[in-house]
């Protein structure tokens, strides 16, 4: 069995993962790159070159490259990625949500809803539906039509960088609704740099504040009593798809 490698290109965060088995990664890397600014695309190219070299050094010769809202919305950025001659796989919002669902459920089977807050979009996934919302950590509109999620109950998994920050603040991966609201309010209390996020750099702080606004707004239409911070997401979903036949020569 050969190791498989994947690269996920997000609006604000680009990451890679290589593994023989998802439970035991050979390598995982991530870098904040704001792809809304075309001047950062050379940094993205350098990062992807670095990631593919790292994978090759580990004997990873097959994989896939994909991304979410940033690539779906920006044709020039999508062409920039395709020009790198890597095995690019365009995915729809529905497929992105389903891959995230499979990855999170492989880690935490007992969940009813997933909220994946990205830089440019947020996917809300249930067993029956995927809602892809044009709102994220880098764009939080004043008004938003949220999906009809009330009445589901059960446990909700939070995915992404904001979830990681919330777990850091809580000191545990599973928290109650009341505890989550308290943490979100502590992050959003100050207009400037939140004191509770002092251990994060300025760029990461801005993303966590934006992501916290999205989650707090979603709580108004979601009545889950319990939340778990997932350690798997779209990146791991890409790896599952690659291992099941989507991988191509890097």
């Amino acid at each position: 069995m050969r190791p498989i490698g994947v690269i996920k290109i997000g609006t604000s965060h680009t990451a890679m993962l290589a593994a023989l088995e998802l439970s035991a990664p050979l390598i995982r890397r991530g870098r904040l790159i704001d792809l809304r600014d075309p001047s950062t695309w050379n940094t993205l190219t350098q990062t992807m070159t670095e990631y593919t070299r790292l994978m090759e050094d580990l004997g990873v010769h097959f994989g896939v490259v994909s991304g979410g809202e940033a690539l779906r919305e920006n044709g020039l950025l999508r062409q920039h990625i395709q020009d790198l001659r890597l095995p690019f796989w365009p995915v729809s919002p529905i497929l992105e949500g389903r891959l995230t669902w499979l990855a999170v459920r492989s880690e935490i089977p007992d969940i009813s809803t997933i909220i994946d807050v990205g830089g440019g979009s947020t996917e809300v996934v249930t067993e029956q539906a995927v809602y892809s919302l044009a709102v994220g950590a880098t764009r939080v509109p004043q008004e938003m039509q949220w999906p009809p999620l009330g009445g589901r109950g059960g446990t909700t998994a939070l995915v992404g960088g904001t979830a990681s920050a919330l777990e850091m603040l809580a000191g545990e991966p599973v928290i109650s609704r009341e505890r989550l609201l308290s943490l979100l309010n502590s992050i959003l209390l100050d207009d400037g740099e939140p004191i509770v996020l002092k251990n994060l750099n300025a760029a990461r702080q801005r993303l966590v504040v934006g992501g916290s606004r999205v989650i707090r707004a979603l709580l108004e239409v979601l009545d889950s009593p319990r939340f778990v911070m997932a350690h798997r997401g779209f990146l791991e979903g890409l790896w599952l798809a690659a291992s099941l036949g989507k991988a191509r020569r890097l």
Side-chain angles (χ1 to χ4, degrees):
M1 183 178 178
R2 293 181 176 178
I4 297 293
V6 294
I7 298 175
K8 181 213 73 172
I9 302 166
T11 301
S12 57
H13 186 253
T14 294
M16 63 88 78
L17 167 68
L20 278 165
E21 298 179 3
L22 191 53
S23 59
L26 297 172
I27 190 171
R28 184 195 300 270
R29 293 284 189 275
R31 185 167 294 164
L32 291 180
I33 307 174
D34 186 355
L35 296 181
R36 296 171 302 167
D37 179 2
S39 69
T40 67
W41 295 0
N42 285 336
T43 301
L44 175 64
T45 299
Q46 295 166 6
T47 297
M48 294 182 68
T49 300
E50 174 190 334
Y51 287 172
T52 53
R53 186 180 301 117
L54 287 170
M55 289 192 286
E56 288 172 359
D57 290 344
L58 290 168
V60 179
H61 301 296
F62 290 87
V64 72
V65 174
S66 191
E69 191 73 5
L71 297 183
R72 288 191 291 266
E73 283 194 343
N74 193 323
L76 289 176
L77 176 59
R78 190 166 57 251
Q79 186 60 54
H80 180 81
I81 298 302
Q82 291 172 318
D83 288 345
L84 298 178
R85 303 300 180 188
L86 292 169
F88 176 63
W89 181 31
V91 298
S92 68
I94 301 299
L95 183 52
E96 179 181 349
R98 282 289 159 229
L99 290 174
T100 301
W101 176 265
L102 290 173
V104 175
R105 284 290 292 264
S106 70
E107 177 194 11
I108 315 164
D110 186 24
I111 55 168
S112 59
T113 307
I114 293 171
I115 297 176
D116 182 2
V117 182
S121 70
T122 294
E123 277 63 54
V124 181
V125 191
T126 71
E127 195 165 9
Q128 295 79 25
V130 176
Y131 304 94
S132 185
L133 312 174
V135 54
T138 62
R139 59 177 185 183
V140 184
Q142 295 299 314
E143 296 184 5
M144 181 73 191
Q145 184 65 43
W146 303 107
L149 295 172
R152 293 187 179 277
T155 299
T156 291
L158 300 180
V159 177
T162 302
S164 297
L166 289 167
E167 181 177 355
M168 175 191 71
L169 293 176
E172 56 185 337
V174 182
I175 58 176
S176 67
R177 180 186 184 88
E178 292 73 22
R179 176 67 170 142
L180 175 59
L181 280 168
S182 175
L183 290 173
L184 293 173
N185 288 335
S186 69
I187 291 171
L188 299 174
L189 185 62
D190 300 324
D191 292 332
E193 296 183 358
I195 295 174
V196 294
L197 300 180
K198 62 183 179 181
N199 292 327
L200 304 180
N201 63 38
R204 183 82 189 281
Q205 284 189 21
R206 287 192 294 271
L207 292 172
V208 172
V209 168
S212 295
R213 290 196 179 106
V214 173
I215 294 171
R216 190 169 68 175
L218 276 168
L219 288 183
E220 296 180 6
V221 294
L222 180 68
D223 61 359
S224 293
R226 183 170 175 267
F227 293 82
V228 57
M229 311 305 148
H231 301 140
R232 293 181 182 177
F234 181 38
L235 178 67
E236 288 76 15
L238 284 176
W239 187 92
L240 288 172
S243 68
L244 292 172
K246 278 296 180 180
R248 297 292 183 267
R249 185 100 190 164
L250 289 170

